[in-house]
Structure formats: structure tokens, C-alpha cells
Amino acid sequence: MAKAVGILEVFGLVAGFVAADAGCKAADVVVENFDKNKPGNADALPVPLIVSIKFRGDVSAVSAAIEAAAEAAERVSGVVSKHVIPSPESDTEKMLKLNALDKN
């Protein structure tokens, strides 16, 4: 059975690192690769880059990590969205491995 995954989208890479640190300190989770997205309306955003942080662990740990991470990111630049998937399907797992940080 797959581990739960929590996904937190924040404004900017600094908020991403702050959120990842807070989430890992709050619960027994592992951080997977970050992802990035520069939306079409980037100039209208507080920071023109959206970063996704993915936490893995059991459902309660992932939920605690997401809450702590979101609180930390709010103090930096803000949260776009957050969600916990208790048991991702195999096709979802494939999509979770994609990331754009290594692309231009």
C-alpha cells in the first residue's frame, strides 16, 4: 500500500524551503522533490513562482506536516493550496514523480 502524500503549493522557493523544514520538524515525514509552476498571471501574484512541496508518511503525520508547513509558508509569502491523499492510486503515483525544477 502506498504511503499518504500531502501536497502544499506556496508562493516562491523561499517559502517552499521554510515550509518543508517546518513540516519535517512537526511530523515523521519525508519530503519528495519540489515542483514549480510559473502561471500565466505571474505578474499579478505576490511572488511570480508557485512551488509544490510533497510530504510522504502515514496519514496523520502527513496531515500534521501539511498544517505546520502551511502556517510557516503563510508567514513568508502565502499558500496557494494544500491537500492530503491518503492512499494514492498507481497512476497518481506516476504523476507525482514529475517535476519541472530540472527544466528551463
Side-chain angles (χ1 to χ4, degrees), residues 32-36 52 54 91-103:
E32 290 191 344
N33 56 319
F34 283 20
D35 200 0
K36 69 175 182 171
S52 298
K54 296 173 228 165
D91 287 343
T92 303
E93 288 287 351
K94 291 175 190 174
M95 297 302 293
L96 288 167
K97 291 181 174 137
L98 300 176
N99 81 65
L101 278 174
D102 60 355
K103 296 175 179 70

PDB file of all heavy atoms in Angstrom, residues 32-36 52 54 91-103:
ATOM      1  N   GLU A  32       9.546  14.823  -0.671  1.00  0.00           N
ATOM      2  CA  GLU A  32       9.918  14.397  -2.013  1.00  0.00           C
ATOM      3  C   GLU A  32      10.295  15.628  -2.830  1.00  0.00           C
ATOM      4  O   GLU A  32      10.248  16.748  -2.332  1.00  0.00           O
ATOM      5  CB  GLU A  32       8.755  13.643  -2.663  1.00  0.00           C
ATOM      6  CG  GLU A  32       8.532  12.297  -2.020  1.00  0.00           C
ATOM      7  CD  GLU A  32       7.581  11.416  -2.802  1.00  0.00           C
ATOM      8  OE1 GLU A  32       6.861  11.916  -3.679  1.00  0.00           O
ATOM      9  OE2 GLU A  32       7.574  10.215  -2.514  1.00  0.00           O
ATOM     10  N   ASN A  33      10.617  15.423  -4.082  1.00  0.00           N
ATOM     11  CA  ASN A  33      11.069  16.520  -4.929  1.00  0.00           C
ATOM     12  C   ASN A  33      10.065  17.669  -4.970  1.00  0.00           C
ATOM     13  O   ASN A  33       8.866  17.473  -4.972  1.00  0.00           O
ATOM     14  CB  ASN A  33      11.354  16.016  -6.344  1.00  0.00           C
ATOM     15  CG  ASN A  33      10.166  15.311  -6.967  1.00  0.00           C
ATOM     16  OD1 ASN A  33       9.480  14.548  -6.317  1.00  0.00           O
ATOM     17  ND2 ASN A  33       9.916  15.578  -8.224  1.00  0.00           N
ATOM     18  N   PHE A  34      10.606  18.883  -4.967  1.00  0.00           N
ATOM     19  CA  PHE A  34       9.786  20.075  -5.158  1.00  0.00           C
ATOM     20  C   PHE A  34       9.370  20.129  -6.623  1.00  0.00           C
ATOM     21  O   PHE A  34       9.982  19.508  -7.480  1.00  0.00           O
ATOM     22  CB  PHE A  34      10.586  21.345  -4.858  1.00  0.00           C
ATOM     23  CG  PHE A  34      10.797  21.659  -3.401  1.00  0.00           C
ATOM     24  CD1 PHE A  34      10.669  20.708  -2.406  1.00  0.00           C
ATOM     25  CD2 PHE A  34      11.138  22.937  -3.029  1.00  0.00           C
ATOM     26  CE1 PHE A  34      10.879  21.021  -1.072  1.00  0.00           C
ATOM     27  CE2 PHE A  34      11.354  23.272  -1.711  1.00  0.00           C
ATOM     28  CZ  PHE A  34      11.228  22.313  -0.731  1.00  0.00           C
ATOM     29  N   ASP A  35       8.365  20.914  -6.905  1.00  0.00           N
ATOM     30  CA  ASP A  35       7.973  21.186  -8.279  1.00  0.00           C
ATOM     31  C   ASP A  35       7.707  22.679  -8.394  1.00  0.00           C
ATOM     32  O   ASP A  35       7.505  23.360  -7.386  1.00  0.00           O
ATOM     33  CB  ASP A  35       6.733  20.381  -8.663  1.00  0.00           C
ATOM     34  CG  ASP A  35       6.568  20.252 -10.176  1.00  0.00           C
ATOM     35  OD1 ASP A  35       7.409  20.775 -10.928  1.00  0.00           O
ATOM     36  OD2 ASP A  35       5.590  19.623 -10.596  1.00  0.00           O
ATOM     37  N   LYS A  36       7.721  23.200  -9.600  1.00  0.00           N
ATOM     38  CA  LYS A  36       7.482  24.636  -9.792  1.00  0.00           C
ATOM     39  C   LYS A  36       6.506  24.851 -10.931  1.00  0.00           C
ATOM     40  O   LYS A  36       6.333  23.996 -11.802  1.00  0.00           O
ATOM     41  CB  LYS A  36       8.775  25.369 -10.093  1.00  0.00           C
ATOM     42  CG  LYS A  36       9.360  25.021 -11.453  1.00  0.00           C
ATOM     43  CD  LYS A  36      10.564  25.849 -11.784  1.00  0.00           C
ATOM     44  CE  LYS A  36      11.067  25.488 -13.184  1.00  0.00           C
ATOM     45  NZ  LYS A  36      12.080  26.360 -13.676  1.00  0.00           N
ATOM     46  N   SER A  52       5.527  23.557  -5.333  1.00  0.00           N
ATOM     47  CA  SER A  52       4.807  22.466  -4.666  1.00  0.00           C
ATOM     48  C   SER A  52       5.785  21.656  -3.836  1.00  0.00           C
ATOM     49  O   SER A  52       6.845  21.278  -4.324  1.00  0.00           O
ATOM     50  CB  SER A  52       4.157  21.533  -5.684  1.00  0.00           C
ATOM     51  OG  SER A  52       3.218  22.234  -6.451  1.00  0.00           O
ATOM     52  N   LYS A  54       5.991  18.131  -1.525  1.00  0.00           N
ATOM     53  CA  LYS A  54       5.282  16.868  -1.315  1.00  0.00           C
ATOM     54  C   LYS A  54       5.869  16.159  -0.100  1.00  0.00           C
ATOM     55  O   LYS A  54       7.072  15.916  -0.034  1.00  0.00           O
ATOM     56  CB  LYS A  54       5.413  15.966  -2.535  1.00  0.00           C
ATOM     57  CG  LYS A  54       4.753  16.538  -3.768  1.00  0.00           C
ATOM     58  CD  LYS A  54       5.052  15.690  -4.976  1.00  0.00           C
ATOM     59  CE  LYS A  54       5.494  16.600  -6.096  1.00  0.00           C
ATOM     60  NZ  LYS A  54       6.131  15.942  -7.188  1.00  0.00           N
ATOM     61  N   ASP A  91      -1.565   5.197 -10.871  1.00  0.00           N
ATOM     62  CA  ASP A  91      -1.441   6.222 -11.918  1.00  0.00           C
ATOM     63  C   ASP A  91      -1.144   7.595 -11.311  1.00  0.00           C
ATOM     64  O   ASP A  91      -0.399   8.391 -11.895  1.00  0.00           O
ATOM     65  CB  ASP A  91      -2.702   6.290 -12.771  1.00  0.00           C
ATOM     66  CG  ASP A  91      -2.832   5.098 -13.708  1.00  0.00           C
ATOM     67  OD1 ASP A  91      -1.813   4.401 -13.927  1.00  0.00           O
ATOM     68  OD2 ASP A  91      -3.931   4.846 -14.211  1.00  0.00           O
ATOM     69  N   THR A  92      -1.709   7.859 -10.148  1.00  0.00           N
ATOM     70  CA  THR A  92      -1.416   9.115  -9.448  1.00  0.00           C
ATOM     71  C   THR A  92       0.044   9.127  -9.017  1.00  0.00           C
ATOM     72  O   THR A  92       0.725  10.162  -9.116  1.00  0.00           O
ATOM     73  CB  THR A  92      -2.338   9.290  -8.236  1.00  0.00           C
ATOM     74  OG1 THR A  92      -3.691   9.238  -8.678  1.00  0.00           O
ATOM     75  CG2 THR A  92      -2.094  10.608  -7.528  1.00  0.00           C
ATOM     76  N   GLU A  93       0.529   7.986  -8.557  1.00  0.00           N
ATOM     77  CA  GLU A  93       1.944   7.877  -8.152  1.00  0.00           C
ATOM     78  C   GLU A  93       2.876   8.263  -9.300  1.00  0.00           C
ATOM     79  O   GLU A  93       3.870   8.957  -9.093  1.00  0.00           O
ATOM     80  CB  GLU A  93       2.262   6.452  -7.691  1.00  0.00           C
ATOM     81  CG  GLU A  93       1.669   6.076  -6.367  1.00  0.00           C
ATOM     82  CD  GLU A  93       2.360   6.753  -5.197  1.00  0.00           C
ATOM     83  OE1 GLU A  93       3.414   7.402  -5.365  1.00  0.00           O
ATOM     84  OE2 GLU A  93       1.822   6.642  -4.089  1.00  0.00           O
ATOM     85  N   LYS A  94       2.563   7.841 -10.502  1.00  0.00           N
ATOM     86  CA  LYS A  94       3.389   8.181 -11.670  1.00  0.00           C
ATOM     87  C   LYS A  94       3.433   9.692 -11.861  1.00  0.00           C
ATOM     88  O   LYS A  94       4.491  10.268 -12.144  1.00  0.00           O
ATOM     89  CB  LYS A  94       2.845   7.511 -12.929  1.00  0.00           C
ATOM     90  CG  LYS A  94       3.006   6.020 -12.941  1.00  0.00           C
ATOM     91  CD  LYS A  94       2.329   5.420 -14.175  1.00  0.00           C
ATOM     92  CE  LYS A  94       2.280   3.911 -14.086  1.00  0.00           C
ATOM     93  NZ  LYS A  94       1.511   3.317 -15.180  1.00  0.00           N
ATOM     94  N   MET A  95       2.289  10.340 -11.729  1.00  0.00           N
ATOM     95  CA  MET A  95       2.220  11.794 -11.930  1.00  0.00           C
ATOM     96  C   MET A  95       2.957  12.547 -10.827  1.00  0.00           C
ATOM     97  O   MET A  95       3.531  13.602 -11.063  1.00  0.00           O
ATOM     98  CB  MET A  95       0.767  12.254 -12.005  1.00  0.00           C
ATOM     99  CG  MET A  95      -0.004  11.671 -13.177  1.00  0.00           C
ATOM    100  SD  MET A  95       0.744  12.036 -14.772  1.00  0.00           S
ATOM    101  CE  MET A  95       0.513  13.787 -14.860  1.00  0.00           C
ATOM    102  N   LEU A  96       2.942  12.010  -9.624  1.00  0.00           N
ATOM    103  CA  LEU A  96       3.611  12.654  -8.505  1.00  0.00           C
ATOM    104  C   LEU A  96       5.129  12.695  -8.683  1.00  0.00           C
ATOM    105  O   LEU A  96       5.810  13.509  -8.066  1.00  0.00           O
ATOM    106  CB  LEU A  96       3.263  11.945  -7.188  1.00  0.00           C
ATOM    107  CG  LEU A  96       1.846  12.174  -6.682  1.00  0.00           C
ATOM    108  CD1 LEU A  96       1.521  11.176  -5.572  1.00  0.00           C
ATOM    109  CD2 LEU A  96       1.654  13.598  -6.226  1.00  0.00           C
ATOM    110  N   LYS A  97       5.669  11.853  -9.523  1.00  0.00           N
ATOM    111  CA  LYS A  97       7.110  11.809  -9.765  1.00  0.00           C
ATOM    112  C   LYS A  97       7.574  12.892 -10.745  1.00  0.00           C
ATOM    113  O   LYS A  97       8.770  13.180 -10.818  1.00  0.00           O
ATOM    114  CB  LYS A  97       7.519  10.427 -10.255  1.00  0.00           C
ATOM    115  CG  LYS A  97       7.383   9.399  -9.175  1.00  0.00           C
ATOM    116  CD  LYS A  97       7.808   8.039  -9.643  1.00  0.00           C
ATOM    117  CE  LYS A  97       7.761   7.130  -8.437  1.00  0.00           C
ATOM    118  NZ  LYS A  97       7.214   5.874  -8.608  1.00  0.00           N
ATOM    119  N   LEU A  98       6.666  13.467 -11.486  1.00  0.00           N
ATOM    120  CA  LEU A  98       7.033  14.511 -12.434  1.00  0.00           C
ATOM    121  C   LEU A  98       7.433  15.781 -11.701  1.00  0.00           C
ATOM    122  O   LEU A  98       6.872  16.119 -10.672  1.00  0.00           O
ATOM    123  CB  LEU A  98       5.863  14.811 -13.372  1.00  0.00           C
ATOM    124  CG  LEU A  98       5.351  13.662 -14.219  1.00  0.00           C
ATOM    125  CD1 LEU A  98       4.130  14.101 -15.002  1.00  0.00           C
ATOM    126  CD2 LEU A  98       6.435  13.144 -15.146  1.00  0.00           C
ATOM    127  N   ASN A  99       8.409  16.494 -12.247  1.00  0.00           N
ATOM    128  CA  ASN A  99       8.736  17.815 -11.693  1.00  0.00           C
ATOM    129  C   ASN A  99       9.384  18.666 -12.759  1.00  0.00           C
ATOM    130  O   ASN A  99       9.947  18.163 -13.724  1.00  0.00           O
ATOM    131  CB  ASN A  99       9.594  17.705 -10.419  1.00  0.00           C
ATOM    132  CG  ASN A  99      11.035  17.478 -10.692  1.00  0.00           C
ATOM    133  OD1 ASN A  99      11.710  18.329 -11.266  1.00  0.00           O
ATOM    134  ND2 ASN A  99      11.552  16.331 -10.286  1.00  0.00           N
ATOM    135  N   ALA A 100       9.328  19.964 -12.556  1.00  0.00           N
ATOM    136  CA  ALA A 100       9.849  20.906 -13.544  1.00  0.00           C
ATOM    137  C   ALA A 100      11.061  21.683 -13.057  1.00  0.00           C
ATOM    138  O   ALA A 100      11.565  22.537 -13.754  1.00  0.00           O
ATOM    139  CB  ALA A 100       8.733  21.892 -13.945  1.00  0.00           C
ATOM    140  N   LEU A 101      11.554  21.393 -11.866  1.00  0.00           N
ATOM    141  CA  LEU A 101      12.691  22.153 -11.356  1.00  0.00           C
ATOM    142  C   LEU A 101      13.979  21.892 -12.129  1.00  0.00           C
ATOM    143  O   LEU A 101      14.864  22.731 -12.151  1.00  0.00           O
ATOM    144  CB  LEU A 101      12.930  21.879  -9.868  1.00  0.00           C
ATOM    145  CG  LEU A 101      12.025  22.685  -8.947  1.00  0.00           C
ATOM    146  CD1 LEU A 101      12.216  22.249  -7.510  1.00  0.00           C
ATOM    147  CD2 LEU A 101      12.277  24.166  -9.082  1.00  0.00           C
ATOM    148  N   ASP A 102      14.085  20.759 -12.779  1.00  0.00           N
ATOM    149  CA  ASP A 102      15.287  20.477 -13.553  1.00  0.00           C
ATOM    150  C   ASP A 102      15.163  20.895 -15.017  1.00  0.00           C
ATOM    151  O   ASP A 102      16.005  20.578 -15.832  1.00  0.00           O
ATOM    152  CB  ASP A 102      15.675  19.004 -13.447  1.00  0.00           C
ATOM    153  CG  ASP A 102      14.586  18.082 -13.949  1.00  0.00           C
ATOM    154  OD1 ASP A 102      13.489  18.551 -14.289  1.00  0.00           O
ATOM    155  OD2 ASP A 102      14.835  16.859 -13.992  1.00  0.00           O
ATOM    156  N   LYS A 103      14.101  21.611 -15.338  1.00  0.00           N
ATOM    157  CA  LYS A 103      13.881  22.079 -16.707  1.00  0.00           C
ATOM    158  C   LYS A 103      13.952  23.600 -16.741  1.00  0.00           C
ATOM    159  O   LYS A 103      13.671  24.267 -15.767  1.00  0.00           O
ATOM    160  CB  LYS A 103      12.512  21.611 -17.205  1.00  0.00           C
ATOM    161  CG  LYS A 103      12.420  20.107 -17.294  1.00  0.00           C
ATOM    162  CD  LYS A 103      11.015  19.688 -17.670  1.00  0.00           C
ATOM    163  CE  LYS A 103      10.874  18.207 -17.804  1.00  0.00           C
ATOM    164  NZ  LYS A 103      10.944  17.474 -16.556  1.00  0.00           N
TER     165      LYS A 103
END
